[in-house]
Amino acid sequence: MEIDEAREVRTTCPYCGVGCGVLAKVAADGQVSVRGDPDHPANFGRLCSKGSALAETTGLDSRLLHPQIHDHGSSWDEALDLVASTFSQTIAEHGPDAVAFYVSGQLLTEDYYLANKLMKGFVGSANIDTNSRLCMASSVAGHRRAFGSDTVPGTYEDLELSDLIVLVGSNLAWCHPVLYQRIAAAREKRPDMKVVLVDPRRTMTSDIADMHLAIAPDGDVALFTGLLAWLGQHNALDRAYITAHTSGFGQALFAASALDLAGVAAATGLSEEELGSFYSLFARTEKTVTVYSQGVNQSSQGTDKVNAIINCHLATGRIGKPGAGPFSVTGQPNAMGGREVGGMANMLAAHMEIENPEHRERVQRFWNAPAIAGKPGLKAVDMFKAVADGRIKALWIMATNPVDSMPGAGAVEAAIKACPFVVVSDVLAETDTVRHAHVRLPATAWGEKDGTVTNSERRISRQRAFLPVPGEARPDWWIIAEVARRMGFDEAFAHETPAEIFAEHAALSGFENDGARDFDIGAYAGVDREDYDALAPFQWPASSPGTPLWPAGHLPRRGGDRILSRPSPIFNVARQAPAPKQLISPLAGEMVGRPEGGVQARHPPQAGGTTGHQSTRFFANGNFYTPDRKARFIAIRPTVETRITSDFPLILNTGRIRDHWHTMTRTGKSPRLSQHIAEPFVEIHPVDAQRHGIGDADIARVSTPRGEVLVRALVTTRQRQGSLFAPMHWTDQFAARARLDTLTASLTDPVSGQPALKHVGASIEKFTARTFGFAVTRKRPATMAADYWAVARCRGGWRVELAFASDDVDWTAFAGSLFDTVDAEVLAYHDREAGQHRIAAFDGEHLTGALFIAPGPVAVSRGWAAEQLGEVHASQRQRFRIVAGRAGAGRPDAGATVCSCFNVGVNQITAAVAAGCTTVDAIGATLKAGTNCGSCRSEIRAIIAANRIQAAE
């Protein structure tokens, strides 16, 4: 595509489900810059540390730019023909359930739509599932059980309008920082707003909490069933709402009463006083929003947790009202879009139900499809079990890395390696999954892609291209359509632009809907390329004018009432005459309950503009999507699950950190994001550390029955005693043995199929390292002969952490292999008795690499050492400073990075505190730290507090 380098392009961030607007610009020299879009209603100009560093991730290094077959380059025709013929042959010989797609919440909606359409409507199997199964499937299941639909009732605005926010299993400060900052800003304006954090760990989110309930792992069901019982006992119910708009309350209350307050305390690990304080606060606060995320979803009880939370909101009528409701925040940029198109094995497109024969007939007729999947397909965990046992013989993986992210990742990798035919569409040439592909298809990346995504508040936004497509990379939708055509489905996949796909998607959402389904963007069914290019963010529903959103007395027609022979309504849908412009405008105005009318905007979105600032909500006046139009209370009895044994006495909790995301295929390219935490680690409470002989910064071996990892130990009272926490980001591309999901089990929630990734029995012991090392090098090391290593980007090159079980190593030779240099000038210091070795290599006046070896964790400033890769070292004195590992007088060490946006270290913040900066704002005014994305503000506040305590002592 032609890129206009003189303009900023409105696009959307590709990380979490907040869906922040981004303004991206390409300068005349090709340099990319980004800033938050001040007009986008999700973020109003804010970006987190990851979003702020997006420009550092758009380079072409390590990209897959050409199709490959069996590790050799091929043409697109060869690769696509092979994929199409192999899938067709496998289906012919073994049936449609012998093939599968495993897709991703990082696909755009248009990609997702075609993948789902091909598998469910033309292959005739529902064996398409997504990595979103790992993050929000339990929310989907809970919504559908309670509401009859996968509907998020509220909006981000509710967070700012509420008087009480309950954060359950959500480290919002690190995982959804922009929402965290919106809450923080609202609290500054309204100090009476209260925040309760429900989390086993004292995360950085606790900085904003008035109350931290350090709950036992999987104690959430007991906590919220106990709350429901307490609300009933203290006459804190909205009986009018319960009577008019719900069913099953009596059974749910009876089940919740199985535990008294003492029983709830035992099941949650909380005191009765803590429970009473929380329950009383919830009961008396009308405007309450309960925000939940992976700590709720990633559980074998995830769906019950979701429904236990929803039960409390239904019982108090706190749903769909400004400042009140249950709110699931998603972890991926388009997990919601995937749900809309039916990109999960147990869903149909446009929020229709695969178990419903009327829905299946409708979708098949709309697509004019030869077949439609007649039953749910295999969910992610079961899908890879079917790959392992040979039932699935051809697998296509798109935009995800299951070898690292799936539970039981070692078994998943073995299954993929043994599968007869594996296709991977990806942007990178090397990932732990790509290395096992028979066919590799180069996909376009963020900045090159063109399509839509949906965020956690049902807001659809455009991702727009601002970079030229490199090499032979192609959009995922194009790849899918080309394979479909080669399989014989030309007419149904004749799309030429993503605008056509979006129009078809919109048309299906409104097809025979008449207010019967929540997801309806039929107003956009006539969108043309010009309108699509100018599409502004909007929330659904957005039905076409004249369509009653809930006409009184109307029910959807049954299949027997229709003329089934009429042609598919989507034939060349986007090529038909475009609808009048006013038909593609989003709904405006606040909607309570199921939308019963609403005001249509009278003008189309302006190019690059933003509309849809008005919020839409569901269910304040009932009108749910169940057969009797009432919400369903779910009767839940809390159970306590024990996963620890004498051999595995600790509970392992997995999760994310502030500056990395998923398996680091994007964030790992950013030097800025790699400085905050540069290696895999495990948090352990000091009491547990002492019991297991673990010291701070030791290398620890964490084990479960499925495997083991080596990670750095971080001893901290933030961690709950008896539990461990470790992040899931590191892969074989970045560390020696740190694939955390090789430790997790394939245990899943029985309703949602979502795996339990936060409650795993584990053990920990010290890895006896005789020698530790740290290195900086301009080139990424090709090999590292160390028992423990972790590599991270830094400005000018790479930084490497090392540990060795032996000290019998030729360190000069090791340094040479690490730096990969020939004829370099080498300066070295060796103290063999003390076990100290320091080696630096220079190419002219530039440092090629430096290696520091010690018998314990190396005491060299990482930030300072990394900076030397970009410095000029003309004098011998400057070079000796590198070998000495000290900056010298007048060159203060910034210390470990705290603020990634402005590269501010802990030592700089400590010095500013000593100089009189005693607030976060004062630190920001002096150092700029915490003034951009705000993700580090809680850490800054902790540093200030620690230094105050030290000064007082």
Side-chain angles (χ1 to χ4, degrees), residues 336-458:
M336 288 284 282
R339 289 148 71 171
E340 292 161 7
V341 304
M344 302 179 80
N346 57 322
M347 301 172 72
L348 270 183
H351 281 199
M352 284 182 268
E353 300 168 2
I354 199 168
E355 302 90 348
N356 186 321
E358 183 180 343
H359 290 186
R360 294 197 304 269
E361 184 275 331
R362 179 183 296 127
V363 174
Q364 182 176 3
R365 176 161 43 84
F366 183 90
W367 281 340
N368 199 21
I372 195 76
K375 66 181 188 301
L378 295 172
K379 299 169 185 174
V381 170
D382 291 333
M383 177 182 289
F384 284 100
K385 288 180 179 179
V387 174
D389 65 25
R391 283 175 288 156
I392 290 176
K393 304 177 187 303
L395 174 67
W396 189 350
I397 299 167
M398 305 179 199
T400 187
N401 197 5
V403 164
D404 295 315
S405 58
M406 282 291 296
V412 169
E413 181 172 32
I416 292 173
K417 288 171 68 174
C419 186
F421 189 66
V422 176
V423 181
V424 176
S425 305
D426 210 308
V427 301
L428 293 184
E430 293 183 12
T431 72
D432 293 353
T433 298
V434 166
R435 64 190 177 190
H436 301 305
H438 301 100
V439 179
R440 300 169 186 169
L441 303 176
T444 48
W446 182 82
E448 304 151 11
K449 301 175 77 165
D450 196 29
T452 58
V453 293
T454 307
N455 73 2
S456 295
E457 64 165 354
R458 294 175 278 106

Side-chain angles (χ1 to χ4, degrees), residues 703-766:
S703 304
T704 73
R706 289 155 294 280
E708 62 181 44
V709 297
L710 294 179
V711 293
R712 187 78 67 175
L714 175 59
V715 180
T716 174
T717 55
R718 285 185 172 273
Q719 179 56 50
R720 177 186 174 89
Q721 192 172 335
S723 293
L724 307 171
F725 171 81
M728 51 80 73
H729 307 293
W730 275 266
T731 70
D732 287 350
Q733 309 300 314
F734 293 96
R737 281 194 285 170
R739 287 170 52 213
L740 197 69
D741 277 312
T742 60
L743 307 187
T744 56
S746 56
L747 176 67
T748 62
D749 179 284
V751 180
S752 70
Q754 181 159 354
L757 300 177
K758 291 183 171 292
H759 191 169
V760 182
S763 65
I764 190 170
E765 62 181 344
K766 180 178 179 178

Side-chain angles (χ1 to χ4, degrees), residues 143-416:
H143 289 162
R144 293 175 72 181
R145 287 207 300 187
F147 308 147
S149 60
D150 177 23
T151 311
V152 176
T155 72
Y156 294 160
E157 183 185 43
D158 294 327
L159 302 176
E160 295 155 330
L161 297 176
S162 66
D163 295 323
L164 170 63
I165 297 176
V166 184
L167 300 171
V168 190
S170 170
N171 186 6
L172 212 65
W174 276 19
C175 299
H176 299 92
V178 168
L179 293 185
Y180 177 85
Q181 291 306 321
R182 287 184 66 164
I183 294 171
R187 284 200 75 183
E188 288 185 10
K189 295 177 181 177
R190 297 193 298 114
D192 291 339
M193 176 193 284
K194 301 296 182 184
V195 177
V196 175
L197 175 66
V198 182
D199 198 305
R201 300 168 62 223
R202 185 161 53 88
T203 66
M204 287 300 171
T205 303
S206 66
D207 179 65
I208 204 173
D210 300 283
M211 182 187 303
H212 174 211
L213 302 179
I215 196 167
D218 280 339
D220 312 84
V221 170
L223 178 68
F224 284 94
T225 54
L227 173 58
L228 181 64
W230 198 94
L231 294 170
Q233 293 160 7
H234 291 79
N235 196 29
L237 304 170
D238 186 336
R239 295 193 179 276
Y241 189 92
I242 292 170
T243 300
H245 303 307
T246 73
S247 64
F249 174 70
Q251 297 92 320
L253 184 62
F254 179 78
S257 302
L259 292 180
D260 59 12
L261 197 63
V264 174
T268 60
L270 303 172
S271 69
E272 292 186 34
E273 290 75 19
E274 288 176 305
L275 291 170
S277 296
F278 169 54
Y279 289 172
S280 176
L281 178 62
F282 188 101
R284 68 175 182 265
T285 310
E286 185 68 23
K287 289 187 173 183
T288 297
V289 176
T290 303
V291 178
Y292 57 92
S293 191
Q294 309 307 0
V296 167
N297 293 329
Q298 290 179 337
S299 167
S300 58
Q301 307 172 15
T303 306
D304 281 351
K305 290 184 184 185
V306 171
N307 285 115
I309 291 169
I310 291 173
N311 281 352
C312 295
H313 280 270
L314 292 174
T316 53
R318 298 174 188 168
I319 187 167
K321 300 175 181 177
F327 202 116
S328 162
V329 289
T330 54
Q332 294 198 83
N334 204 29
M336 288 284 282
R339 289 148 71 171
E340 292 161 7
V341 304
M344 302 179 80
N346 57 322
M347 301 172 72
L348 270 183
H351 281 199
M352 284 182 268
E353 300 168 2
I354 199 168
E355 302 90 348
N356 186 321
E358 183 180 343
H359 290 186
R360 294 197 304 269
E361 184 275 331
R362 179 183 296 127
V363 174
Q364 182 176 3
R365 176 161 43 84
F366 183 90
W367 281 340
N368 199 21
I372 195 76
K375 66 181 188 301
L378 295 172
K379 299 169 185 174
V381 170
D382 291 333
M383 177 182 289
F384 284 100
K385 288 180 179 179
V387 174
D389 65 25
R391 283 175 288 156
I392 290 176
K393 304 177 187 303
L395 174 67
W396 189 350
I397 299 167
M398 305 179 199
T400 187
N401 197 5
V403 164
D404 295 315
S405 58
M406 282 291 296
V412 169
E413 181 172 32
I416 292 173

Side-chain angles (χ1 to χ4, degrees), residues 681-703:
F681 67 92
V682 60
E683 283 185 359
I684 183 170
H685 190 276
V687 171
D688 293 322
Q690 184 177 23
R691 180 179 298 122
H692 294 278
I694 305 291
D696 205 23
D698 280 346
I699 305 301
R701 178 185 284 111
V702 180
S703 304

Side-chain angles (χ1 to χ4, degrees), residues 79-135:
L80 294 169
D81 285 345
L82 178 60
V83 174
S85 63
T86 303
F87 269 77
S88 295
Q89 183 176 351
T90 303
I91 294 164
E93 293 179 359
H94 303 284
D97 288 335
V99 302
F101 295 169
Y102 186 64
V103 297
S104 167
Q106 294 163 73
L107 291 175
L108 303 185
T109 297
E110 293 75 7
D111 309 323
Y112 241 137
Y113 179 86
L114 286 195
N116 184 61
K117 178 181 179 181
L118 174 58
M119 179 56 75
K120 291 196 177 118
F122 291 81
V123 171
S125 170
N127 279 351
I128 174 171
D129 212 44
T130 167
N131 60 9
S132 298
R133 179 71 59 187
L134 311 183
C135 73

Side-chain angles (χ1 to χ4, degrees), residues 878-892:
Q878 290 173 309
R879 298 182 181 202
F880 276 124
R881 282 178 181 166
I882 295 175
V883 175
R886 294 191 298 272
R891 296 285 300 273

Side-chain angles (χ1 to χ4, degrees), residues 113 366 495 499-508 524-528 568-579:
Y113 179 86
F366 183 90
H495 313 83
E500 295 177 19
I501 304 169
F502 183 78
E504 179 177 318
H505 167 54
L508 176 55
Y524 293 83
V527 70
D528 60 19
S568 166
I570 62 158
F571 180 72
N572 288 337
V573 64
R575 300 191 185 102
Q576 296 172 359

